[in-house]
Amino acid sequence: MTATSTDIQTLAIDTIRALSMDAVQTANSGHPGTPMALAPVAYQLFQNAMDYDPAKPHWPGRDRFVLSCGHASMLLYSTLHLIGTKATDIHGNPTGGESITLDSIKKFRQIGSVCAGHPEYAEAAGIETTTGPLGAGVSNSVGMAMAEKWLAANYNTDDLTLFNYNTYAICSDGDLMEGIATEAASVAGHLKLDNLCWLYDDNNITIEGDTDLAFSEDIGMKFEGMGWNVLKVDNANDVEALNKAVAAFKACSDKPTLVIVKSIIGYGAPNKQNTHGAHGAPLGWDEVALAKKSYGLPEDEKFYVPAGVKEHFADGVGKRGAAASAAWEDVWTKYQAAEPAKAAELQAMFDGKLPQGWDKDIPVFEADAKGDATRNSSGKVLNAIAKNIPFMIGGSADLAPSNKSDLKFEGAGEFLPTSYDGRNLHFGIREHAMSGITNGLCLSGLRGYCATFFVFTDYMRGGMRLSSIMHQPTLYILTHDSIGVGEDGPTHQPIEHLTACRAIPGLNVYRPGDANEVAECYRSAMMISDHPAAMVLSRQNMPTMDRTKFAPASGCLKGGYILSDCEGTPDVILMGSGSELYMAVDAGEKLTAAGKKVRVVSMPCMDIFAQQDQSYIDEVLPPAVTNRVAIEAGIQMSWDRWIGSNGKFIGMHSFGASGPFDQVYEHFGINAASVEKAANC
Amino acid sequence: MTATSTDIQTLAIDTIRALSMDAVQTANSGHPGTPMALAPVAYQLFQNAMDYDPAKPHWPGRDRFVLSCGHASMLLYSTLHLIGTKATDIHGNPTGGESITLDSIKKFRQIGSVCAGHPEYAEAAGIETTTGPLGAGVSNSVGMAMAEKWLAANYNTDDLTLFNYNTYAICSDGDLMEGIATEAASVAGHLKLDNLCWLYDDNNITIEGDTDLAFSEDIGMKFEGMGWNVLKVDNANDVEALNKAVAAFKACSDKPTLVIVKSIIGYGAPNKQNTHGAHGAPLGWDEVALAKKSYGLPEDEKFYVPAGVKEHFADGVGKRGAAASAAWEDVWTKYQAAEPAKAAELQAMFDGKLPQGWDKDIPVFEADAKGDATRNSSGKVLNAIAKNIPFMIGGSADLAPSNKSDLKFEGAGEFLPTSYDGRNLHFGIREHAMSGITNGLCLSGLRGYCATFFVFTDYMRGGMRLSSIMHQPTLYILTHDSIGVGEDGPTHQPIEHLTACRAIPGLNVYRPGDANEVAECYRSAMMISDHPAAMVLSRQNMPTMDRTKFAPASGCLKGGYILSDCEGTPDVILMGSGSELYMAVDAGEKLTAAGKKVRVVSMPCMDIFAQQDQSYIDEVLPPAVTNRVAIEAGIQMSWDRWIGSNGKFIGMHSFGASGPFDQVYEHFGINAASVEKAANC
C-alpha cells in the first residue's frame, strides 16, 4: 500500500503521529492527543530550525530541546527515532546503534524500554531532561539558556565562537498554569534571554474538560508583562507559519520568545480530536485506523515508517546538523590551540569532572569555643571551592546575605541582564523555579548551586526530587536549619524537613556539626557527581571542635563516624548532627566524668552512612549497644533506624515557637542536660 | 511633650509606625521598614474601608484582612491594638480584654507573646490567617473571597443578605514573585472575584537589594492578562488616593482588583529609608529616634500612644463596625426565623461543627475478592458524606476524573464565574494555590477539600504545612499513591511521600487498605476538626476484605489495629497499609498454613496510632514480639519505629519504573512472597 500524503513533509509529520498513536495504543496507556497535535511543531524545530546533529546528540554546541509537557513523550521518541539519533553515553561517546529503536517504541511504557511514560534523562541520547511534573521542563530550559549566555560570555573570544545555541521548549496549558513556570518566565524575561523560545500548545483542553473551566488568561499579555516577545501561530499544521515565528524569535535580540500555537488535540482522529477524550487515554484501534486514514496512511499497518521519511530527515536536520557540528569541532580545535587554559577548563566540564586542585584552598578551621554558624563556615568553604572551579555558579532566592551564598572573590561578578559573565545569580523569591533552573545549569555541564532557607525546601521539593532522579550534582545550600531560626517563629522553623529531605532517594542531606565538618561535607558533596546534595546549615553559632581531641572531620566522608570514644564497650552511644552535636559532646563529657563509658557519634549525613559496609556501620554502632540517645532539633523519624527500639531521642515533637533561639531551645528541652538525663534512664 | 503631627489622621498613622519600630527594636529582631511604609494603607483599610467591628472580630459578616507579607507583622499588631480589637476564642466568644495588648507588643517575638515573628492564626483575634511563607496569604485570600461568593449564592435570600463582605490582602514583591501567588491570582481572575482586593507594596527593595536585581515585570500588565482590574496609587502616604482606589475596587463588579501602591520602605528613617537596610533588621535606637522626630513624635518615648489616637479609631472603624455588625445581627435574627433549616446549617458552620446525621450515608462495602481501587471507594464515601454536609466543598487540580473527587449528587453543581453556588471547584493545574485556597475556605468556616496525585504533594507542601500549623481540617484527597501508578513512571510514582507527609506534625496521613477502611478513615478525618488529613489512595484495585473473618474496619479510628490474629503469642507480626495490606494478609495465611502463629496489623494512620495509650500500642505490637515484617510500596523510614531493630521491611529503596503496575510490583519484589520469605528469615 502506498502512502497517499501529498508531500514528504506532511508524510514525515504524519509518521510521527502514527508512531505515537501506535505506541500508546500498544501500551494501552499514555497520551496520544498532544503528539498528534504537535507533530508539525517538533518537525519544524528539528528539521528546519535547530542546529542538531543526530549523529552527535551530546555535541556541546547543539540547540537544546525540552519537551516540558512530558506526557507527550511519544512526540519526542518518534522524532528522535525518525531523525536517526545515535545512541551515546551521557558524555556523548557512541555506544552503537540508535538512541531510540523502533523496538523501544514498540515497548513504550514497559519495564526496560528507554521509552518510559515520561522522558527520563540519560535513558536515551536526545532526552535533554526528565519531564513530566508540569512546569519542570520550562524551568530547566531557563537554566539551559542562562548556561549558554554564561558560557558564551566567559569562553567565546572575538574570533572563536564556541557557544551560540538556542533552547526550545514545548509546553502545555498545564505547564503554564503551574507557578514554577511563571517564576521561570519572570526570570527569563528579566534576564532578557533572547536564546530561549517556548512554544505553547494552546489547545483549550485539559483532563477535566475545556480550559474554560479554570483557565481564561490572556497568556500573551501576561508574558508581555514579564518582558517576553509574544508571537502567535494560528494553526499548528502551518509549518510555514512556524518557520516565520521561529525566524522572528531568532531575529529578536533582547527578549525571550513565546510562540502561542493554536492546535487541535488528537488532530486527525475524527471522533476524538478536540476533546479531552484524546488527552490521557488511548484512542482505541478503530479510531487509530480512522486517524491513519485521514492522514492517508495505511490503516492497518502498525509502527509503519513510510519509505523516504528517514531520508527526508537525513537530508534536512541530518545534513545541517552534521555541518554545524563539524564547524564547531573545527572551532574547538582552534580554541584548544589558542586558549589552552580555558580549553582545559571546558574539557573538564564536558567530561563532568572537577578541575585539578579544586579542593586546594578548602580551609581548616581552628578550634574555637565560641565557634561560628555553619552558614558562615559554608560561605567560606563555598568561596574556597568555587574559586578553583571556574564553572561553578549559583545564587539565592533573594537571601544571599542570609545564606552567605555570594561568591566574593575577585572576578566572581554578578549575572545580570547587562552582564552574563558573572557567577552570582539572582533568582528572586522564586524557590521552585530556582531549583529547576539550577538543574538546567547542571544539565548544561555547570556545577550549579542554589540557596534559600531550609524551611522553603517545601517550595522546591519538586525540583530537588528531579535533581535526584536525573542524577545531577545540584547543590542546595539551606540555612536557618531548625528552631535556631528563633524569632521568625513556627512558619520559618524547619522541624520535619531533615526527615522529609532524607526521605528523597539519592539526595545526600548533610548537616555538619562544626566548621571543619562543613569543609568535609562540601568535599564529599563535590566529589559525588551523580547525586544532588543538600547542605543544611545553622543560623546560630556552635563551637569549632578541637580536632586534636576529637576524631578528624574527614569522618564526614563516611556519613557518620566516632567523634569521641571510651575504653571498651560503651555504656551508651550519643549521636547528633549540626548545631546539636556539641550538646551530645557536652553531655558525653558530663557522663564520662560521672563514670559512664560514652561514645559520641557524629552523623552529618545519614544517607552516606547507610551506604557504608555493614561492618563499618556495626563498628560505629555496635548492635549489642542498644542504649543510644540521639539529639537533633527536628523530628525523630529518620533517627529511628539508628537509635533502635531501645533508643531515646531529644528533639522536636511539634511545630516551633517565636522567641530568641536560645530560649526556644530551652523551651523545648533540647540541650545537653536532656541528653544526659536520657542516657541515665 | 505634645505630639506635633498636623492632624489626627497623620498622628494615628505615625503611631502605628512608632509602635512597630519600638517593638522591632526592643526585640532586636524583625522587619521595621514595611510597617513604616504601609501604616497609611492599614490605616485606610481599617479606618475608612472595611466593615470591621473590633468588638466582634469574628463576626461572620466582617470584611477580611490578610497581611500576606507576614514579616511586617507589627503593622497588623499595632493596628489591631490601636483600633481596640477585643480578645475572643476562635469561635468569637469574648475572653475578656484586648486581643493585642500593649504588653504583648512590648514582648514582640518573645516566647509566650501572641505577637509572634509572623502572624499566627488563633494566637489573637483579628489574625485571620498565619502568614510568613511568602505567597501563602494571598492564596488564602482567594479562598476567603470564594467562600464569600459561595455563601452569598447559597444562603442570601432576596430579602436577607447575610454575606456581602470583601477580602483585602496586603502583599509584597516577595509574595508576587512566588509562583503560588500567580496561580492564586489566575484563579481569582478566572472566577471574576470582584470581592477581592490585593494591595501591592511596590517599594523596589528586597533582601538582596533593589528589585532590579531580579524583578522587572510590568506587574499591572501581567495582572490585566490574568483578568484583574489594576489601579495605581503613586504615594502610600496619600490616604485620599487610597480612598479613591478602594472606592474604585468597590465599584468594580466583574474582576478582582490589584492596587499597586508605591511606597518607601522605612519611611521617615532619614538614613535607612528606601534601602534594604530597613527591611529585615532593626534600625537601631538612634535611627528610631530620628524617625520619630521626622514624624513629630517624642523621640525618646517608647511604645507611645498619643492621646486621641485610640479615640480616633473608636470614632471611625469602631462606630462604623459596631453599626455594621449590629445590622448583621438584625438580619441574622430575621434569617433564623425565616429560614430555620438554612440557619441551622450556618449555625453548625459558625460553631465549627458537623450537621446532625452527617455520617448516616457512609456506605458499608461487601466483601469482594476483586475489590476496587481506594480512589473509587473514596469517591463513593466522599459523596455520601458531602451530601449531608451542605458546607463541604472542594475540587481538584484538573484531575477530578482521576481523583474521583467530583461531587455527583443532585444539586452539587459547579463553582464557575457564572455560578457561585456550585460545590465542585476547578483549581486548574495549580496545586500550591489549591492548598492555600482550600485553607482559605476552611478559615471561612467551610469544610474544604482538594485533590491531586499524591506525588504532587511536593508542589503544595507549603500549604499542607500551614493547614497543620493553623489547625484547619483541610482534607487532601491524594490518589495514585505508589508505584501502582504504573506506566507514568518514576516522576509520577510517589516513593518517599508517605514518609514525607507523615513527617509533617499534626497532619494525619491515612492510607486505607480496602473500601471499608476508606469509609472509616473518612469518618476519622471528618471528626477531627482541628487537624488536616491526607487521604492517600490507590489507582489500582485491592480486595474488599470479608469483615466477618477479619476485625471490623472501625479499628481505623485508632490508626492501627489487629486485623487478624493467632492463638497466644505470635511468632511474627505482619504489618501493612493501603494496597499492600492484602499482601500481608496473603502471606499471613500461607505462614499460618505452614504452622506459624501470625498476627496481621493494619496501619492506615500511623499518626493516630502513635497518639493512642501506650497500653493499646503494646497490645497491638507487644514489645516482646520483635519478629516483625512491614510491607508498603514506599520507603522504610516511617516504619522503623514500628518494626523495631529486628524488623524487616518490604518496600522501595529507589525511584520507581515505567511499566504496567503489576509488573512494576514484581520488578521491585513487593508481594506476599517477599513478606513470607522475610517472616521466615
Side-chain angles (χ1 to χ4, degrees):
Chain A
M1 192 167 180
T2 309
T4 58
S5 291
T6 49
D7 59 54
I8 186 66
Q9 173 175 293
T10 307
L11 185 65
I13 291 168
D14 290 339
T15 303
I16 295 173
R17 290 174 162 138
L19 280 181
S20 302
M21 284 191 296
D22 284 347
V24 170
Q25 197 61 48
T26 301
N28 200 25
S29 167
H31 300 74
T34 302
M36 293 161 75
L38 299 186
V41 179
Y43 171 88
Q44 191 278 334
L45 286 175
F46 279 91
Q47 179 75 345
N48 298 348
M50 285 167 62
D51 280 342
Y52 191 82
D53 182 358
K56 293 185 177 172
H58 281 271
W59 152 49
R62 72 192 181 282
D63 286 340
R64 265 60 168 182
F65 174 76
V66 173
L67 183 69
S68 194
C69 43
H71 54 271
S73 55
M74 273 312 307
L75 178 65
L76 180 60
Y77 302 147
S78 300
T79 305
L80 290 176
H81 172 70
L82 292 172
I83 69 173
T85 311
K86 297 295 183 213
T88 73
D89 65 20
I90 58 166
H91 300 300
N93 305 307
T95 53
E98 296 175 298
S99 168
I100 307 275
T101 63
L102 200 58
D103 192 53
S104 295
I105 288 176
K106 289 176 182 172
K107 291 180 181 154
F108 176 55
R109 292 183 159 237
Q110 305 305 302
I111 290 177
S113 171
V114 300
C115 296
H118 294 80
E120 300 284 343
Y121 175 72
E123 283 286 307
I127 302 174
E128 300 278 7
T129 179
T130 295
T131 51
L134 290 168
V138 288
S139 72
N140 299 156
S141 78
V142 174
M144 293 173 181
M146 288 167 65
E148 191 278 334
K149 288 290 185 195
W150 187 86
L151 288 165
N154 280 282
Y155 290 98
N156 290 351
T157 66
D158 289 348
D159 303 325
L160 298 168
T161 299
L162 281 171
F163 300 102
N164 183 27
Y165 59 79
N166 292 315
T167 298
Y168 298 88
I170 290 182
C171 57
S172 61
D173 303 306
D175 287 293
L176 296 193
M177 281 193 250
E178 292 286 3
I180 183 176
T182 326
E183 291 177 0
S186 185
V187 171
H190 176 76
L191 290 172
K192 303 185 191 298
L193 300 177
D194 60 12
N195 57 350
L196 179 66
C197 181
W198 290 2
L199 298 110
Y200 160 48
D201 175 27
D202 185 12
N203 65 22
N204 290 325
I205 299 291
T206 66
I207 290 176
E208 291 191 357
D210 285 3
T211 52
D212 285 358
L213 280 173
F215 194 48
S216 54
E217 292 179 358
D218 181 335
I219 279 275
M221 186 187 286
K222 183 178 178 182
F223 271 71
E224 282 174 13
M226 293 191 288
W228 285 58
N229 172 39
V230 176
L231 307 172
K232 293 193 181 173
V233 170
D234 288 337
N235 176 0
N237 290 313
D238 185 346
V239 174
E240 194 44 46
L242 290 166
N243 286 337
K244 282 185 188 157
V246 172
F249 152 64
K250 289 183 177 176
C252 175
S253 62
D254 60 349
K255 290 175 180 176
T257 292
L258 178 75
V259 184
I260 302 175
V261 184
K262 278 271 173 202
S263 83
I264 294 172
I265 197 165
Y267 175 80
N271 302 301
K272 295 211 172 172
Q273 69 180 6
N274 212 18
T275 75
H276 67 116
H279 177 83
L283 301 173
W285 283 118
D286 290 348
E287 185 77 0
V288 168
L290 291 173
K292 287 180 186 170
K293 186 178 175 189
S294 83
Y295 305 145
L297 289 173
E299 292 169 47
D300 42 13
E301 288 251 30
K302 290 182 194 171
F303 302 106
Y304 175 60
V305 179
V309 167
K310 285 191 167 184
E311 293 74 8
H312 173 64
F313 281 117
D315 276 351
V317 58
K319 278 196 182 159
R320 211 181 58 254
S325 77
W328 187 90
E329 288 292 344
D330 184 51
V331 174
W332 176 231
T333 303
K334 290 175 182 153
Y335 193 91
Q336 286 171 298
E339 302 281 349
K342 287 196 158 192
E345 289 174 15
L346 286 172
Q347 190 64 56
M349 194 191 86
F350 296 155
D351 295 342
K353 292 181 178 157
L354 299 176
Q356 284 281 334
W358 67 272
D359 57 351
K360 69 185 166 67
D361 293 322
I362 293 180
V364 174
F365 297 92
E366 291 197 5
D368 180 359
K370 183 183 164 226
D372 204 351
T374 46
R375 63 171 170 155
N376 290 327
S377 313
S378 167
K380 291 172 189 165
V381 175
L382 173 69
N383 271 270
I385 291 173
K387 193 171 59 170
N388 296 315
I389 305 178
F391 47 86
M392 185 171 183
I393 74 174
S396 167
D398 193 49
L399 290 170
S402 299
N403 299 144
K404 312 295 178 189
S405 55
D406 264 338
L407 301 185
K408 299 191 168 181
F409 50 83
E410 198 179 327
E414 305 291 316
F415 186 92
L416 294 171
T418 49
S419 61
Y420 290 133
D421 58 337
R423 293 172 60 181
N424 286 301
L425 312 182
H426 298 276
F427 293 105
I429 304 164
R430 307 178 181 102
E431 295 82 5
H432 199 178
M434 174 172 77
S435 66
I437 289 170
T438 309
N439 285 338
L441 298 174
C442 290
L443 290 164
S444 306
L446 305 176
R447 286 296 289 244
Y449 63 89
C450 60
T452 185
F453 288 161
F454 188 34
V455 81
F456 296 130
T457 50
D458 279 346
Y459 276 35
M460 61 179 186
R461 276 179 76 86
M464 298 174 78
R465 186 172 204 254
L466 284 165
S467 304
S468 190
I469 287 183
M470 293 194 282
H471 288 276
Q472 292 303 298
T474 312
L475 173 64
Y476 293 90
I477 298 172
L478 305 162
T479 70
H480 296 61
D481 70 348
S482 72
I483 53 170
V485 166
E487 290 90 344
D488 275 348
T491 56
H492 284 55
Q493 293 172 355
I495 300 301
E496 70 276 28
H497 299 74
L498 280 163
T499 287
C501 285
R502 288 169 180 153
I504 298 176
L507 171 69
N508 292 323
V509 180
Y510 297 89
R511 188 166 186 253
D514 79 346
N516 287 304
E517 286 202 354
V518 171
E520 296 307 311
C521 288
Y522 264 94
R523 191 188 308 276
S524 170
M526 294 305 299
M527 290 193 301
I528 298 173
S529 62
D530 58 352
H531 285 283
M535 201 62 67
V536 181
L537 303 158
S538 76
R539 175 184 185 228
Q540 78 274 28
N541 285 3
M542 66 193 79
T544 306
M545 293 181 204
D546 180 354
R547 295 288 168 169
T548 63
K549 187 173 153 194
F550 295 99
S554 56
C556 292
L557 299 179
K558 292 191 166 181
Y561 65 103
I562 301 169
L563 182 66
S564 69
D565 210 358
C566 54
E567 296 277 319
T569 304
D571 298 321
V572 63
I573 298 175
L574 310 181
M575 294 181 262
S577 85
S579 47
E580 291 73 64
L581 180 62
Y582 81 90
M583 298 178 185
V585 170
D586 282 359
E589 287 174 354
K590 290 206 178 99
L591 289 162
T592 302
K596 285 256 186 194
K597 292 197 285 180
V598 179
R599 171 176 292 182
V600 179
V601 170
S602 175
M603 189 72 87
C605 184
M606 285 181 191
D607 311 274
I608 289 180
F609 184 65
Q611 292 163 29
Q612 304 303 309
D613 293 341
Q614 191 62 44
S615 61
Y616 177 75
I617 292 173
D618 289 347
E619 182 192 323
V620 175
L621 301 176
V625 183
T626 62
N627 187 19
R628 303 178 184 182
V629 182
I631 180 167
E632 187 172 84
I635 64 164
Q636 177 172 338
M637 199 179 287
S638 47
W639 284 95
D640 282 325
R641 174 172 177 185
W642 309 115
I643 59 177
S645 303
N646 294 325
K648 290 133 198 162
F649 181 73
I650 309 299
M652 294 296 292
H653 304 276
S654 67
F655 293 110
S658 172
F661 80 90
D662 47 353
Q663 293 175 31
V664 178
Y665 267 86
E666 290 310 307
H667 179 74
F668 290 107
I670 299 179
N671 50 41
S674 296
V675 175
E676 198 185 340
K677 191 172 160 200
N680 280 323
C681 278
Chain B
M1 190 167 181
T2 308
T4 58
S5 290
T6 48
D7 59 56
I8 186 65
Q9 174 175 291
T10 306
L11 186 65
I13 291 168
D14 290 339
T15 302
I16 295 173
R17 290 175 162 135
L19 281 181
S20 302
M21 285 191 296
D22 285 347
V24 170
Q25 197 61 47
T26 300
N28 199 27
S29 167
H31 300 73
T34 302
M36 292 160 75
L38 299 186
V41 179
Y43 171 88
Q44 191 277 335
L45 287 176
F46 279 90
Q47 181 73 346
N48 298 348
M50 285 167 62
D51 280 342
Y52 191 84
D53 182 357
K56 293 184 177 172
H58 281 271
W59 152 50
R62 73 193 181 280
D63 286 340
R64 266 61 168 182
F65 174 77
V66 173
L67 184 69
S68 194
C69 44
H71 55 270
S73 54
M74 273 312 306
L75 178 65
L76 180 61
Y77 301 146
S78 300
T79 306
L80 289 177
H81 172 70
L82 292 172
I83 69 173
T85 311
K86 297 294 182 217
T88 73
D89 65 20
I90 58 166
H91 300 299
N93 305 308
T95 53
E98 295 174 299
S99 168
I100 307 276
T101 64
L102 200 58
D103 192 54
S104 295
I105 289 176
K106 289 177 182 171
K107 291 180 182 152
F108 176 55
R109 290 182 160 240
Q110 306 304 305
I111 290 176
S113 171
V114 300
C115 296
H118 294 80
E120 300 283 344
Y121 175 72
E123 282 287 307
I127 302 174
E128 300 277 8
T129 179
T130 295
T131 51
L134 290 168
V138 287
S139 72
N140 299 154
S141 78
V142 174
M144 293 171 180
M146 287 166 66
E148 191 278 334
K149 287 290 185 194
W150 188 86
L151 288 165
N154 280 282
Y155 290 97
N156 289 350
T157 65
D158 289 348
D159 304 324
L160 299 169
T161 299
L162 281 172
F163 301 102
N164 183 28
Y165 58 80
N166 292 315
T167 299
Y168 298 87
I170 290 182
C171 56
S172 61
D173 303 308
D175 286 293
L176 296 194
M177 281 194 250
E178 292 286 5
I180 182 176
T182 326
E183 291 177 0
S186 184
V187 171
H190 175 75
L191 290 172
K192 303 183 189 300
L193 299 177
D194 61 13
N195 56 349
L196 179 65
C197 181
W198 290 2
L199 299 110
Y200 160 47
D201 175 27
D202 185 12
N203 65 22
N204 289 325
I205 299 291
T206 67
I207 289 177
E208 291 191 359
D210 285 2
T211 51
D212 285 358
L213 281 173
F215 195 48
S216 53
E217 292 179 358
D218 182 335
I219 279 276
M221 186 188 286
K222 183 178 178 182
F223 271 72
E224 282 174 12
M226 293 191 288
W228 284 59
N229 171 41
V230 176
L231 307 171
K232 291 191 183 177
V233 169
D234 289 336
N235 176 0
N237 290 315
D238 185 346
V239 173
E240 194 44 46
L242 290 166
N243 286 337
K244 281 184 188 158
V246 172
F249 151 65
K250 290 181 177 177
C252 175
S253 62
D254 59 350
K255 291 175 179 177
T257 291
L258 178 76
V259 184
I260 301 176
V261 184
K262 278 272 174 204
S263 83
I264 295 173
I265 196 166
Y267 175 80
N271 301 302
K272 296 211 171 174
Q273 69 181 6
N274 213 17
T275 74
H276 66 117
H279 177 82
L283 302 172
W285 282 119
D286 290 348
E287 185 77 359
V288 168
L290 291 173
K292 286 180 185 170
K293 186 178 174 189
S294 83
Y295 306 145
L297 289 173
E299 294 169 46
D300 43 12
E301 289 250 31
K302 291 182 192 170
F303 302 105
Y304 175 62
V305 179
V309 167
K310 286 191 167 186
E311 293 74 9
H312 174 64
F313 281 116
D315 276 352
V317 58
K319 278 196 182 159
R320 212 181 57 255
S325 77
W328 187 90
E329 288 291 346
D330 185 49
V331 173
W332 176 231
T333 304
K334 289 176 181 152
Y335 193 92
Q336 288 171 296
E339 302 280 347
K342 288 195 157 193
E345 290 174 14
L346 286 172
Q347 191 63 58
M349 194 192 85
F350 296 155
D351 294 342
K353 292 182 178 156
L354 298 176
Q356 283 281 335
W358 68 271
D359 59 351
K360 69 185 166 67
D361 292 322
I362 293 180
V364 174
F365 297 92
E366 290 197 6
D368 180 0
K370 183 181 164 228
D372 205 351
T374 47
R375 63 171 169 154
N376 290 327
S377 313
S378 166
K380 291 171 189 165
V381 175
L382 172 69
N383 271 270
I385 291 172
K387 192 171 60 172
N388 295 316
I389 305 178
F391 47 86
M392 185 170 183
I393 75 174
S396 167
D398 192 48
L399 290 169
S402 299
N403 300 144
K404 311 296 178 189
S405 55
D406 264 340
L407 301 186
K408 299 190 168 181
F409 49 82
E410 198 181 327
E414 307 290 316
F415 186 91
L416 294 171
T418 49
S419 61
Y420 291 133
D421 59 337
R423 292 172 61 180
N424 286 300
L425 313 182
H426 298 276
F427 293 105
I429 304 164
R430 308 179 181 101
E431 295 83 5
H432 200 178
M434 174 172 78
S435 66
I437 289 169
T438 311
N439 285 338
L441 297 174
C442 289
L443 289 164
S444 306
L446 305 177
R447 286 297 287 248
Y449 63 89
C450 60
T452 185
F453 288 161
F454 188 33
V455 81
F456 296 130
T457 51
D458 279 347
Y459 276 36
M460 62 178 186
R461 275 179 76 86
M464 297 174 79
R465 186 173 204 255
L466 285 165
S467 304
S468 190
I469 287 183
M470 293 194 281
H471 289 274
Q472 292 302 298
T474 312
L475 173 64
Y476 294 90
I477 298 172
L478 305 162
T479 70
H480 296 62
D481 72 348
S482 73
I483 53 170
V485 166
E487 291 88 346
D488 275 349
T491 56
H492 284 55
Q493 292 171 356
I495 300 300
E496 70 276 28
H497 299 74
L498 279 163
T499 286
C501 285
R502 286 169 182 152
I504 298 175
L507 172 69
N508 292 324
V509 180
Y510 298 89
R511 188 167 186 254
D514 79 345
N516 287 304
E517 285 201 356
V518 171
E520 295 308 309
C521 287
Y522 264 93
R523 190 189 309 275
S524 170
M526 294 305 299
M527 289 192 302
I528 298 172
S529 62
D530 58 352
H531 286 283
M535 202 62 66
V536 181
L537 303 158
S538 76
R539 174 185 185 229
Q540 78 274 27
N541 286 1
M542 66 193 78
T544 305
M545 292 179 205
D546 179 355
R547 296 287 169 170
T548 63
K549 186 175 153 193
F550 296 99
S554 56
C556 293
L557 299 179
K558 292 191 166 181
Y561 65 103
I562 301 168
L563 183 66
S564 68
D565 211 359
C566 53
E567 296 277 321
T569 304
D571 298 321
V572 63
I573 298 175
L574 310 182
M575 292 181 262
S577 85
S579 47
E580 291 72 63
L581 180 62
Y582 81 90
M583 298 177 185
V585 169
D586 282 359
E589 287 177 352
K590 291 207 176 98
L591 289 161
T592 302
K596 286 256 185 194
K597 291 198 284 179
V598 179
R599 171 177 292 182
V600 178
V601 170
S602 175
M603 190 72 89
C605 184
M606 285 182 190
D607 311 274
I608 288 179
F609 184 64
Q611 292 162 29
Q612 303 304 309
D613 292 342
Q614 191 63 43
S615 62
Y616 178 74
I617 293 173
D618 290 347
E619 181 191 323
V620 175
L621 300 176
V625 183
T626 62
N627 187 21
R628 302 178 185 182
V629 182
I631 181 166
E632 186 172 84
I635 64 164
Q636 178 171 337
M637 198 178 286
S638 47
W639 284 93
D640 282 325
R641 174 171 178 187
W642 309 115
I643 60 176
S645 303
N646 294 325
K648 290 133 198 163
F649 180 74
I650 308 300
M652 294 296 293
H653 303 277
S654 67
F655 292 110
S658 172
F661 82 90
D662 46 353
Q663 292 175 32
V664 178
Y665 267 85
E666 289 310 308
H667 178 75
F668 289 107
I670 299 179
N671 50 41
S674 296
V675 175
E676 199 184 338
K677 192 174 159 197
N680 280 323
C681 277

